[in-house]
Amino acid sequence: MNTLPQQLANGLLLGSMYGLIAIGYTMVYGIVQLINFAHGEIFMTGGFGALSVYLVLPSDISMWVAVPLMLIGGGLVAVLIAVGAERFAYRPLRGAPRLAPLITAIGLSLALQEVVRNFYPEADRARAFPGLDGTHNIGSITIKDADIFLIGAAIVCMSALALFVRRSRTGRAMQATAQDPDTAQLMGIDTNRIIVIAFAIGGFFAAVASVAYGMKYGNVKYDMGFLMGLKAFTAAVLGGIGNIYGAMLGGIVLGIAETLASAYIDGVPGMQQLGGQSWANVWAFCLLILVLLFRPQGLLGERVADRA
């Protein structure tokens, strides 16, 4: 157990990444009651947008200068795709049966994957992604500069979002729209604009997560959004879908649970074959099943009646 602090740190970092992506799911669901299953691919396109920016920068540029530019480029790509998806794929189906936008989301997810795979050079193989050099030791914990960027980005994004939602007029309008969109519209709130802003914020956070993912693992690939999107959806459900703080909490809980299960479950008598990284995804989705069975509203969610 002398590696426990390191495993907890790894879980916190992984969970922060899940949480950043999960915010996109939970914001959209909280306002329009829609699960955007194409959000994982928005995360993926943000990574390729950031990589494209890096490839046109001078080769001798410092990564501390390149990273903010990559965030801007990747964020712009992800936000444009998220807003375009809302305007052209989801808005026309807003009054349709719930199965219609679900099928549309799955189709959009596959379409984005195929567009990147066919038109981005070598996207079907893992494209090398630039990273931040440097490793630091804090007691028995080893942390890299890319990890510092990830945890710092998660803190900044969550703090900025909390201030935005609580203090700004637009944030209060988002809360009103989430509570009752019809009444909010009667009170003069442009609900279409609020929904677009929710998609845009979710897209930008997904792009931040994709840059952190690329720097942490050293590559991006056209299909990386599928599994990360499912994990982030699991985090959103775990924390309480529709609750932005629950999304980050669910991501951290999921990341720590997944990391600890991968590291230690093979030490349990009779379960040696169920440990290791190859079983990490199994335990993550087992956690989702348990939450849906025993606390479907999530850790911070409230049990509410279905909206008519």
Side-chain angles (χ1 to χ4, degrees):
M1 297 294 288
N2 58 350
T3 62
L4 180 60
Q6 181 68 60
Q7 297 299 337
L8 289 174
N10 293 341
L12 176 62
L13 292 164
L14 184 61
S16 298
M17 193 183 305
Y18 291 156
L20 283 172
I21 308 171
I23 287 171
Y25 283 105
T26 206
M27 288 189 69
V28 170
Y29 182 84
I31 293 178
V32 294
Q33 304 291 291
L34 166 71
I35 301 295
N36 178 18
F37 279 113
H39 191 62
E41 275 56 53
I42 294 173
F43 158 80
M44 176 268 296
T45 56
F48 278 97
L51 178 61
S52 299
V53 169
Y54 178 77
L55 293 176
V56 301
L57 293 175
S59 58
D60 58 346
I61 192 170
S62 167
M63 280 301 299
W64 294 105
V65 177
V67 168
L69 298 176
M70 292 164 64
L71 283 174
I72 294 172
L76 182 61
V77 170
V79 167
L80 287 175
I81 292 177
V83 171
E86 188 281 328
R87 178 61 184 87
F88 299 107
Y90 299 132
R91 189 181 298 184
L93 299 174
R94 199 171 292 169
R98 292 187 178 184
L99 185 60
L102 174 62
I103 295 173
T104 299
I106 295 172
L108 180 60
S109 172
L110 295 174
L112 288 173
Q113 280 192 31
E114 291 304 307
V115 167
V116 174
R117 184 175 71 88
N118 286 288
F119 293 100
Y120 199 96
E122 300 180 1
D124 55 339
R125 299 191 294 272
R127 286 294 305 262
F129 198 92
L132 294 171
D133 297 327
T135 301
H136 311 277
N137 294 314
I138 305 174
S140 60
I141 299 174
T142 299
I143 189 169
K144 299 180 180 178
D145 284 345
D147 299 328
I148 296 175
F149 167 80
L150 170 56
I151 198 70
I155 293 172
V156 170
C157 287
M158 280 302 300
S159 301
L161 181 60
L163 288 173
F164 174 76
V165 170
R166 289 185 175 184
R167 302 291 178 85
S168 69
R169 290 174 58 89
T170 302
R172 291 193 291 272
M174 291 179 71
Q175 295 180 62
T177 304
Q179 185 173 358
D180 191 331
D182 294 331
T183 302
Q185 195 166 17
L186 289 174
M187 297 299 292
I189 295 174
D190 186 349
T191 54
N192 285 330
R193 184 178 70 90
I194 295 301
I195 293 169
V196 167
I197 291 173
F199 271 85
I201 292 173
F204 180 76
F205 279 26
V208 173
S210 68
V211 173
Y213 176 97
M215 292 195 297
K216 182 173 179 63
Y217 297 108
N219 63 77
V220 290
K221 195 178 179 183
Y222 80 98
D223 60 352
M224 71 180 192
F226 175 73
L227 187 57
M228 290 296 292
L230 287 179
K231 296 279 191 70
F233 172 67
T234 302
V237 173
L238 177 60
I241 190 96
N243 188 307
I244 58 174
Y245 307 105
M248 183 57 71
L249 175 62
I252 291 172
V253 171
L254 178 63
I256 291 175
E258 181 181 329
T259 302
L260 294 181
S262 301
Y264 297 118
I265 204 165
D266 57 357
V268 178
M271 300 185 68
Q272 288 82 357
Q273 72 276 19
L274 303 181
Q277 190 60 39
S278 60
W279 278 84
N281 298 333
V282 174
W283 298 117
F285 294 119
C286 284
L287 182 59
L288 172 62
I289 293 171
L290 290 174
V291 170
L292 291 175
L293 284 174
F294 298 106
R295 190 174 173 83
Q297 70 269 34
L299 296 175
L300 299 184
E302 297 181 358
R303 190 181 296 275
V304 295
D306 190 23
R307 181 184 299 166

